[in-house]
Amino acid sequence: MADTCGQVLLGSGLTVLSHPLMYIKVLVQVGHEPLPPTLGRNLFGRQVYQLPGLFAYAKHIIKIDGKSGLFNGLAPRLVAGTIGTVVHSKVLQKSQESNLEVMSSSQKKEEGSLPHVINETTKEMIARSCATIVTHPFHVITLRCMVQFIGREAKYSGVFDSIITVYREEGILGFFAGLIPRLVGDVLSLWICNLLAHLINTYAIDDSMSHTGEIKNCSQAVTGFFASMLTYPFVLVSNLMAVNNCGLAGGLPPYAAVYPTWLDCWSHLSREGNMSRGNSLFFRKLPAGKTYAIEQKRFF
């Protein structure tokens, strides 16, 4: 219990610190570009037209809504983080207890072996999936609170009022908009990360080397970053589906077409070459073949 409380407190602190970053990322994912491109320099020093980065975008939000505006949607995100941590911890604990009952000491898989990695990854997958499903309604509300910035709406003003609004307009299914691509992305990311880390730790790292533990932890972090890059399109599609056709300007044309399913959203983004939109908030290059519309603050 104490460990879970510690995780909740730590997670809440990190959530507060990272919230402005997520807020800006979501607005970019939707396609909102309130500032026109400017002439800057790329990593190689060459002059190119670039889209405003994280800090310029943050200054724009502060100019309109003040510093507190950077924390729109924080309350439901904190609720989601707290509930998700508790659910994840409880499910993982139950999974480990049942695993110990089934396996005798002679059957226990050697730590670091492929069967052990598969077993641990499966338990983590179940725990994460349960936490994701339970907290997804609050994730949907968080995203909609953020996207309101585009149309200056006040439709989602609080956690409880937002729950009532979603249920009244969309029913139970509204709370799970965008859930499938989010789950698929999470599961793929977890398996890619753990299996790649296992391959690197087994075949590329010699146990006789000094600082082996630190090197293996580093490999886990690198494979995690690589997996998140590969599965980013699922995150993008999930977030877009969570706000699609919900009555907010950011979820309706011209910002987004009305997608019947998440596969239609994926297909449209793929055709437009927007599968990585919002993936980077620094050195943002102009979309190829697109024209910036000043009045609508987006690219066509």
Side-chain angles (χ1 to χ4, degrees):
M1 185 65 182
D3 290 342
T4 302
C5 290
Q7 291 174 6
V8 169
L9 291 174
L10 177 61
S12 297
L14 293 175
T15 295
V16 173
L17 291 175
S18 66
H19 192 77
L21 177 64
M22 178 186 174
Y23 185 23
I24 294 169
K25 180 182 283 285
V26 168
L27 293 178
V28 173
Q29 286 176 337
V30 173
H32 185 56
E33 297 291 349
L35 302 172
T38 56
L39 189 63
R41 295 185 181 276
N42 61 13
L43 288 171
F44 303 101
R46 187 163 57 92
Q47 280 194 332
V48 293
Y49 277 99
Q50 296 177 334
L51 294 173
L54 173 66
F55 298 111
Y57 214 125
K59 287 180 181 178
H60 173 74
I61 294 174
I62 292 173
K63 183 179 179 180
I64 296 175
D65 289 339
K67 292 181 180 179
S68 61
L70 290 171
F71 296 92
N72 286 337
L74 177 60
R77 190 177 174 210
L78 285 172
V79 173
T82 301
I83 296 175
T85 300
V86 174
V87 171
H88 178 275
S89 177
K90 294 296 183 183
V91 173
L92 196 59
Q93 183 181 354
K94 289 290 184 183
S95 180
Q96 290 172 341
E97 289 174 355
S98 61
N99 193 55
L100 288 173
E101 292 175 2
V102 172
M103 296 171 60
S104 65
S105 57
S106 61
Q107 292 175 314
K108 289 181 180 178
K109 299 171 178 61
E110 182 183 350
E111 187 173 353
S113 66
L114 181 58
H116 177 267
V117 171
I118 292 175
N119 184 50
E120 292 299 311
T121 304
T122 301
K123 289 189 290 186
E124 178 65 20
M125 178 187 68
I126 294 171
R128 282 195 193 183
S129 298
C130 290
T132 297
I133 293 170
V134 171
T135 61
H136 194 74
F138 298 101
H139 180 68
V140 169
I141 292 171
T142 297
L143 295 175
R144 294 184 181 184
C145 287
M146 294 174 171
V147 171
Q148 287 183 138
F149 177 81
I150 297 173
R152 310 304 298 158
E153 299 108 334
K155 187 175 180 179
Y156 299 91
S157 56
V159 177
F160 295 109
D161 288 342
S162 298
I163 290 173
I164 294 171
T165 300
V166 174
Y167 182 75
R168 183 178 62 244
E169 296 186 358
E170 302 170 62
I172 294 294
L173 292 180
F175 292 109
F176 298 97
L179 174 62
I180 294 177
R182 187 183 178 199
L183 276 176
V184 173
D186 283 350
V187 170
L188 286 177
S189 178
L190 177 64
W191 280 97
I192 292 171
C193 172
N194 287 359
L195 291 179
L196 272 180
H198 171 72
L199 290 174
I200 293 172
N201 294 339
T202 302
Y203 300 106
I205 299 176
D206 190 349
D207 288 337
S208 63
M209 296 168 58
S210 60
H211 307 292
T212 303
E214 291 83 350
I215 296 174
K216 288 185 176 181
N217 289 336
C218 183
S219 71
Q220 188 79 28
V222 171
T223 56
F225 176 77
F226 177 70
S228 67
M229 293 289 289
L230 282 180
T231 57
Y232 178 77
F234 290 97
V235 176
L236 175 62
V237 171
S238 173
N239 288 351
L240 293 182
M241 290 305 296
V243 301
N244 191 248
N245 197 27
C246 67
L248 299 177
L252 294 168
Y255 282 98
V258 176
Y259 304 114
T261 68
W262 70 272
L263 293 174
D264 294 299
C265 179
W266 182 291
S267 177
H268 181 259
L269 290 173
S270 181
R271 286 197 307 270
E272 295 288 322
N274 286 328
M275 294 303 286
S276 62
R277 188 170 67 193
N279 194 21
S280 174
L281 297 179
F282 299 97
F283 301 105
R284 300 176 57 220
K285 63 181 182 179
L286 270 65
K290 301 288 184 179
T291 303
Y292 182 73
I294 298 177
E295 292 184 359
Q296 296 186 357
K297 299 179 180 178
R298 68 183 300 273
F299 283 91
F300 285 95

Coordinates of all heavy atoms in Angstrom, one line a residue, residues 248-286:
L248 N -16.8 19.8 -30.7 CA -15.8 20.9 -30.6 C -15.2 21.2 -31.9 O -15.1 20.3 -32.8 CB -14.7 20.4 -29.6 CG -15.1 20.1 -28.2 CD1 -13.9 19.6 -27.4 CD2 -15.6 21.3 -27.5
A249 N -14.8 22.4 -32.1 CA -14.2 22.9 -33.4 C -13.0 22.0 -33.8 O -12.8 21.7 -35.0 CB -13.8 24.4 -33.3
G250 N -12.2 21.6 -32.8 CA -11.0 20.8 -33.1 C -11.3 19.4 -33.5 O -10.3 18.7 -34.0
G251 N -12.5 19.0 -33.4 CA -12.8 17.6 -33.8 C -13.8 17.6 -35.0 O -14.3 16.5 -35.3
L252 N -13.9 18.7 -35.7 CA -14.8 18.8 -36.8 C -14.1 19.5 -38.0 O -13.1 20.1 -37.8 CB -16.1 19.7 -36.4 CG -17.0 19.1 -35.4 CD1 -18.0 20.1 -34.9 CD2 -17.8 17.9 -36.0
P253 N -14.6 19.4 -39.2 CA -14.0 20.1 -40.3 C -14.0 21.6 -40.0 O -14.9 22.1 -39.4 CB -15.0 19.8 -41.5 CG -15.6 18.5 -41.1 CD -15.8 18.5 -39.6
P254 N -12.9 22.3 -40.4 CA -11.9 21.9 -41.3 C -10.7 21.2 -40.6 O -9.8 20.7 -41.3 CB -11.4 23.2 -42.0 CG -11.6 24.2 -40.9 CD -12.8 23.7 -40.1
Y255 N -10.7 21.1 -39.3 CA -9.5 20.5 -38.6 C -9.5 19.0 -38.8 O -8.4 18.4 -38.9 CB -9.6 20.8 -37.1 CG -9.1 22.2 -36.8 CD1 -10.0 23.2 -36.6 CD2 -7.8 22.5 -36.7 CE1 -9.6 24.5 -36.3 CE2 -7.3 23.8 -36.5 CZ -8.2 24.8 -36.3 OH -7.8 26.1 -36.0
A256 N -10.6 18.4 -38.9 CA -10.6 16.9 -39.1 C -11.9 16.5 -39.8 O -13.0 17.1 -39.6 CB -10.6 16.2 -37.7
A257 N -11.8 15.5 -40.6 CA -13.0 14.9 -41.2 C -13.7 14.1 -40.1 O -13.1 13.8 -39.1 CB -12.6 14.0 -42.4
V258 N -14.9 13.8 -40.3 CA -15.6 12.9 -39.4 C -15.4 11.5 -39.8 O -15.8 11.0 -40.8 CB -17.2 13.2 -39.4 CG1 -17.9 12.2 -38.5 CG2 -17.4 14.6 -39.0
Y259 N -14.6 10.8 -38.9 CA -14.2 9.4 -39.3 C -15.1 8.4 -38.7 O -15.4 8.4 -37.4 CB -12.8 9.2 -38.7 CG -11.7 10.1 -39.2 CD1 -11.1 11.0 -38.3 CD2 -11.4 10.2 -40.5 CE1 -10.2 11.9 -38.7 CE2 -10.4 11.1 -41.0 CZ -9.8 12.0 -40.0 OH -8.9 12.9 -40.5
P260 N -15.7 7.5 -39.5 CA -16.6 6.4 -38.9 C -15.8 5.5 -38.0 O -16.4 5.1 -37.0 CB -17.1 5.7 -40.2 CG -16.9 6.7 -41.3 CD -15.6 7.5 -40.9
T261 N -14.6 5.2 -38.3 CA -13.8 4.2 -37.5 C -12.4 4.8 -37.4 O -11.9 5.6 -38.2 CB -13.8 2.8 -38.1 OG1 -13.0 2.8 -39.3 CG2 -15.2 2.3 -38.3
W262 N -11.6 4.2 -36.5 CA -10.2 4.6 -36.3 C -9.4 4.2 -37.5 O -8.3 4.8 -37.8 CB -9.6 4.1 -35.0 CG -9.4 2.6 -35.0 CD1 -10.2 1.7 -34.6 CD2 -8.1 1.9 -35.3 NE1 -9.6 0.4 -34.6 CE2 -8.3 0.6 -35.0 CE3 -6.9 2.4 -35.7 CZ2 -7.3 -0.4 -35.2 CZ3 -5.9 1.4 -35.9 CH2 -6.1 0.0 -35.7
L263 N -9.8 3.2 -38.2 CA -9.0 2.7 -39.4 C -9.2 3.8 -40.6 O -8.3 4.0 -41.3 CB -9.5 1.4 -39.9 CG -9.2 0.2 -39.0 CD1 -9.9 -1.1 -39.5 CD2 -7.7 0.0 -38.8
D264 N -10.4 4.4 -40.6 CA -10.6 5.5 -41.6 C -9.7 6.7 -41.3 O -9.1 7.3 -42.2 CB -12.0 5.9 -41.6 CG -13.0 4.8 -42.1 OD1 -12.8 4.4 -43.2 OD2 -13.8 4.4 -41.3
C265 N -9.5 7.0 -40.0 CA -8.6 8.0 -39.6 C -7.2 7.7 -39.9 O -6.5 8.6 -40.5 CB -8.8 8.2 -38.0 SG -7.7 9.5 -37.3
W266 N -6.8 6.5 -39.7 CA -5.4 6.0 -40.0 C -5.2 6.2 -41.5 O -4.1 6.7 -41.9 CB -5.3 4.6 -39.5 CG -3.9 4.0 -39.8 CD1 -3.3 3.7 -41.0 CD2 -2.9 3.7 -38.8 NE1 -2.1 3.2 -40.8 CE2 -1.8 3.2 -39.4 CE3 -2.9 3.7 -37.4 CZ2 -0.7 2.7 -38.8 CZ3 -1.8 3.3 -36.7 CH2 -0.7 2.8 -37.4
S267 N -6.1 5.7 -42.3 CA -6.0 5.8 -43.7 C -5.8 7.2 -44.2 O -5.0 7.5 -45.1 CB -7.2 5.1 -44.4 OG -7.1 5.1 -45.8
H268 N -6.7 8.1 -43.7 CA -6.6 9.5 -44.1 C -5.3 10.2 -43.7 O -4.7 10.9 -44.6 CB -7.8 10.2 -43.5 CG -7.9 11.7 -43.9 ND1 -7.4 12.7 -43.0 CD2 -8.3 12.3 -45.0 CE1 -7.6 13.9 -43.6 NE2 -8.1 13.7 -44.8
L269 N -4.8 9.9 -42.5 CA -3.6 10.5 -42.1 C -2.4 10.0 -43.0 O -1.5 10.7 -43.3 CB -3.3 10.2 -40.6 CG -4.2 10.9 -39.6 CD1 -3.9 10.4 -38.2 CD2 -4.0 12.4 -39.6
S270 N -2.5 8.7 -43.3 CA -1.4 8.1 -44.1 C -1.4 8.7 -45.5 O -0.3 9.0 -46.0 CB -1.7 6.6 -44.2 OG -0.7 5.9 -44.9
R271 N -2.6 8.9 -46.1 CA -2.6 9.5 -47.4 C -2.1 10.9 -47.4 O -1.4 11.4 -48.4 CB -4.1 9.5 -48.0 CG -4.6 8.2 -48.4 CD -5.8 8.3 -49.3 NE -6.9 9.1 -48.6 CZ -7.8 8.7 -47.8 NH1 -7.9 7.3 -47.6 NH2 -8.7 9.5 -47.3
E272 N -2.3 11.6 -46.3 CA -1.9 13.0 -46.2 C -0.5 13.2 -45.8 O 0.1 14.3 -45.7 CB -2.8 13.8 -45.2 CG -4.3 13.9 -45.7 CD -4.5 14.9 -46.8 OE1 -3.8 15.9 -46.8 OE2 -5.3 14.6 -47.7
G273 N 0.2 12.1 -45.4 CA 1.5 12.1 -44.9 C 1.7 12.7 -43.5 O 2.7 13.4 -43.2
N274 N 0.6 12.5 -42.7 CA 0.6 13.2 -41.3 C 0.7 12.2 -40.2 O 0.3 12.5 -39.1 CB -0.7 13.9 -41.2 CG -0.8 15.2 -42.0 OD1 0.3 15.9 -42.2 ND2 -1.9 15.6 -42.4
M275 N 1.3 11.0 -40.5 CA 1.3 10.0 -39.4 C 2.3 10.3 -38.3 O 2.2 9.7 -37.2 CB 1.8 8.6 -40.0 CG 0.8 8.0 -41.0 SD -0.9 7.8 -40.3 CE -0.6 6.4 -39.2
S276 N 3.1 11.3 -38.5 CA 4.0 11.7 -37.4 C 3.7 13.1 -36.9 O 4.6 13.7 -36.1 CB 5.5 11.6 -37.9 OG 5.7 12.5 -39.0
R277 N 2.6 13.6 -37.2 CA 2.2 15.0 -36.8 C 2.2 15.1 -35.2 O 1.5 14.3 -34.6 CB 0.9 15.4 -37.3 CG 0.5 16.8 -37.1 CD -0.7 17.2 -37.9 NE -1.9 16.5 -37.4 CZ -3.1 16.4 -38.1 NH1 -3.2 17.0 -39.3 NH2 -4.1 15.8 -37.6
G278 N 3.0 16.0 -34.7 CA 3.0 16.2 -33.3 C 4.1 15.4 -32.6 O 4.3 15.5 -31.4
N279 N 4.8 14.6 -33.4 CA 5.8 13.7 -32.7 C 7.0 14.5 -32.2 O 7.6 14.1 -31.2 CB 6.3 12.7 -33.8 CG 7.1 11.5 -33.1 OD1 6.9 11.3 -31.9 ND2 7.9 10.8 -33.9
S280 N 7.3 15.6 -32.8 CA 8.4 16.5 -32.4 C 7.9 17.9 -32.2 O 7.1 18.4 -33.0 CB 9.5 16.5 -33.5 OG 10.5 17.4 -33.1
L281 N 8.3 18.5 -31.1 CA 7.9 19.9 -30.8 C 9.1 20.8 -31.0 O 9.0 22.0 -30.7 CB 7.4 20.0 -29.4 CG 6.1 19.2 -29.2 CD1 5.6 19.4 -27.7 CD2 5.0 19.6 -30.1
F282 N 10.2 20.3 -31.6 CA 11.4 21.2 -31.9 C 11.8 20.9 -33.3 O 11.6 19.9 -33.9 CB 12.6 20.8 -30.9 CG 12.3 21.0 -29.5 CD1 11.9 19.9 -28.7 CD2 12.4 22.2 -28.9 CE1 11.6 20.1 -27.3 CE2 12.1 22.4 -27.5 CZ 11.7 21.3 -26.8
F283 N 12.3 22.0 -33.9 CA 12.8 21.9 -35.3 C 11.7 21.4 -36.2 O 11.9 20.4 -37.0 CB 14.0 21.1 -35.5 CG 15.2 21.6 -34.7 CD1 15.6 20.9 -33.5 CD2 15.9 22.7 -35.1 CE1 16.6 21.4 -32.7 CE2 17.0 23.2 -34.3 CZ 17.3 22.5 -33.1
R284 N 10.5 21.9 -36.1 CA 9.3 21.4 -36.8 C 9.3 22.0 -38.2 O 9.2 23.2 -38.5 CB 8.0 21.8 -36.1 CG 7.9 21.3 -34.7 CD 6.7 21.8 -34.0 NE 5.5 21.5 -34.8 CZ 4.5 22.3 -34.9 NH1 4.5 23.5 -34.4 NH2 3.4 21.9 -35.6
K285 N 9.5 21.1 -39.2 CA 9.5 21.5 -40.6 C 8.1 21.7 -41.2 O 7.1 21.1 -40.7 CB 10.3 20.5 -41.4 CG 9.7 19.1 -41.5 CD 10.6 18.2 -42.3 CE 9.9 16.8 -42.4 NZ 10.8 15.9 -43.2
L286 N 8.0 22.5 -42.2 CA 6.7 22.7 -42.9 C 6.2 21.4 -43.6 O 7.1 20.7 -44.2 CB 6.8 23.8 -43.9 CG 6.5 25.2 -43.4 CD1 7.5 25.7 -42.4 CD2 6.4 26.2 -44.6

